[in-house]
Amino acid sequence: MDKEEYFIRECLENDANVKEKRVNDILSNFEDITIKNFKNFDFKQVLHTSKKKKFQLKTTQIDRIEKVKDLLEVKSDIRETIVKYCTRGFVKVQIDNIKKTQLEDLEINPFLTRMLKLETPKQALEYKISEWLTRSISTSLGFWFEKFLIYGHDDSEFTKVKKFDAEKKKNDIQYITEIKSGPADVDAHQMRGYNTLFNEKESTTVKPRIGWLYGKRDTGTRIGALSHAEQYLENWEERVLVGKELWEFYADEPNYHLKVLKWMEETVANMDIDSFIEVEKKLVEKLVPEFEKKYGKGKDGVKKFIEGSM
């Protein structure tokens, strides 16, 4: 399937929540399925003025599709278009989620509150919100980064092979890849499991790989998952792709990760947003009064919260 059509289909199905059959109906109206034509297509006109079309969309569907179109900036390099689309989407989703966060959404650990000497509502919330945002964003980041990596590259796509994320075909070999954010994401037990899985899947035409989106193979002293790979993953040096190795493998281009970083930087520079530090600060300022109203101020408020937490 053409790279642009594949990307458009993924956007419609996953980001606009349009079912595959309806996606087929939509794309049947394009003589040439390109991102530019999709961006310029008037879905509202189709809905409100034409009864002879092969499909008719609901207003809610059109709204979701228009949000996808709003994130698109058509560039000559399809990969730049895709990276900037995904960057806008990721940042917007994270900021929207943060702004919607309520006090009851945060489960503050009473034991850590005491051990870390968090004595005021502000201190307790600053720590919890920072920890929560880091974990929440890191969890969702992996999915978005898979899009950065897969879309727009020849013979690359999300795989249907269970327990793997992506696949890349090279020289008639199917490379199936489990993608991890960073080199601290896999413990020893998991690495043993990957060794068993990889040996089951390995054949003359299928080669399993595990890849980390950032990090370096040569770090002096091996730490985290790389150390576990060295100990528990057979043929680990061949089966592991670290940082730039992973990006170059899928892009077939040296230092492709530098292009991705440049496109990301350009995208956020043109978005009317605060830094995440400022967003986090505003959330703390919003929730401290709520905490104090519910539990009280200062040490007494924190004490009351702890006493009622379990």
Side-chain angles (χ1 to χ4, degrees):
M1 185 184 297
D2 175 78
K3 290 179 286 188
E4 294 197 40
E5 180 179 346
Y6 180 72
F7 173 65
I8 292 168
R9 285 182 176 275
E10 289 289 317
C11 287
L12 287 171
E13 290 184 30
N14 297 322
D15 301 337
N17 196 27
V18 180
K19 293 183 178 179
E20 183 179 1
K21 181 179 182 302
R22 183 61 74 215
V23 171
N24 292 334
D25 291 337
I26 291 172
L27 296 184
S28 69
N29 285 263
F30 290 82
E31 292 185 8
D32 188 15
I33 303 174
T34 66
I35 294 173
K36 182 178 180 180
N37 288 343
F38 173 75
K39 171 81 171 176
N40 295 331
F41 192 75
D42 189 350
F43 290 92
K44 293 180 180 178
Q45 188 74 9
V46 170
L47 176 66
H48 294 298
T49 65
S50 177
K51 296 181 180 179
K52 296 182 180 180
K53 289 286 181 181
K54 296 179 182 179
F55 67 98
Q56 191 173 41
L57 295 172
K58 297 178 182 178
T59 302
T60 53
Q61 290 176 314
I62 290 178
D63 289 343
R64 293 197 299 269
I65 293 172
E66 289 298 321
K67 288 180 180 178
V68 168
K69 289 171 59 180
D70 288 343
L71 295 174
L72 283 170
E73 178 185 359
V74 182
K75 297 291 185 181
S76 58
D77 187 334
I78 181 179
R79 301 173 306 173
E80 181 177 358
T81 298
I82 291 169
V83 168
K84 290 187 172 183
Y85 167 86
C86 292
T87 300
R88 290 187 193 94
F90 172 77
V91 172
K92 188 176 184 305
V93 166
Q94 301 311 313
I95 290 179
D96 287 347
N97 287 342
I98 292 169
K99 288 180 177 179
K100 292 186 292 186
T101 301
Q102 303 296 319
L103 183 62
E104 53 268 24
D105 296 327
L106 304 174
E107 293 186 2
I108 303 174
N109 187 320
F111 299 104
L112 282 178
T113 302
R114 279 294 181 241
M115 286 192 291
L116 300 180
K117 201 178 180 182
L118 305 175
E119 298 181 334
T120 67
K122 183 180 179 183
Q123 289 175 346
L125 286 168
E126 283 178 338
Y127 174 80
K128 176 57 189 180
I129 288 171
S130 177
E131 179 265 339
W132 171 71
L133 286 179
T134 299
R135 178 165 43 83
S136 175
I137 291 172
S138 296
T139 300
S140 60
L141 188 60
F143 171 70
W144 286 92
F145 265 110
E146 289 169 14
K147 293 184 178 184
F148 293 141
L149 187 68
I150 296 167
Y151 292 152
H153 295 130
D154 292 326
D155 299 315
S156 300
E157 59 185 35
F158 287 99
T159 187
K160 295 181 180 179
V161 180
K162 290 183 178 180
K163 299 184 180 180
F164 290 85
D165 299 309
E167 64 178 65
K168 172 84 172 180
K169 292 184 179 178
K170 291 188 178 188
N171 302 320
D172 296 323
I173 295 176
Q174 179 190 27
Y175 292 91
I176 51 177
T177 312
E178 170 70 357
I179 299 173
K180 296 294 182 181
S181 293
D185 284 355
V186 183
D187 61 27
H189 176 74
Q190 290 173 311
M191 193 62 74
R192 292 189 188 98
Y194 281 128
N195 187 61
T196 301
L197 176 65
F198 282 22
N199 288 340
E200 290 173 353
K201 297 294 184 183
E202 181 98 31
S203 70
T204 55
T205 58
V206 178
K207 303 295 181 184
R209 296 289 183 265
I210 183 168
W212 286 280
L213 291 160
Y214 68 90
K216 296 179 69 175
R217 184 181 292 264
D218 297 321
T219 56
T221 302
R222 300 200 184 283
I223 58 174
L226 282 177
S227 173
H228 300 321
E230 188 173 12
Q231 294 180 67
Y232 305 116
L233 185 64
E234 296 171 32
N235 302 320
W236 76 274
E237 291 182 310
E238 179 180 300
R239 286 173 161 179
V240 164
L241 297 168
V242 187
K244 65 177 292 185
E245 299 170 0
L246 179 63
W247 294 96
E248 292 177 346
F249 182 81
Y250 271 84
D252 294 312
E253 179 180 327
N255 293 316
Y256 175 65
H257 66 292
L258 297 179
K259 280 189 174 180
V260 174
L261 290 167
K262 175 177 174 287
W263 292 333
M264 288 178 177
E265 183 180 11
E266 291 173 352
T267 303
V268 296
N270 292 318
M271 294 179 71
D272 185 19
I273 57 172
D274 292 326
S275 71
F276 269 78
I277 300 299
E278 287 299 316
V279 173
E280 180 181 322
K281 180 180 177 182
K282 289 178 180 178
L283 181 59
V284 172
E285 292 172 350
K286 167 191 163 185
L287 295 184
V288 165
E290 295 181 22
F291 186 102
E292 292 177 341
K293 182 178 180 180
K294 187 172 183 178
Y295 299 109
K297 297 182 179 182
K299 292 183 178 180
D300 291 339
V302 173
K303 180 181 178 182
K304 185 176 179 181
F305 155 72
I306 289 174
E307 289 173 348
S309 65
M310 292 187 292

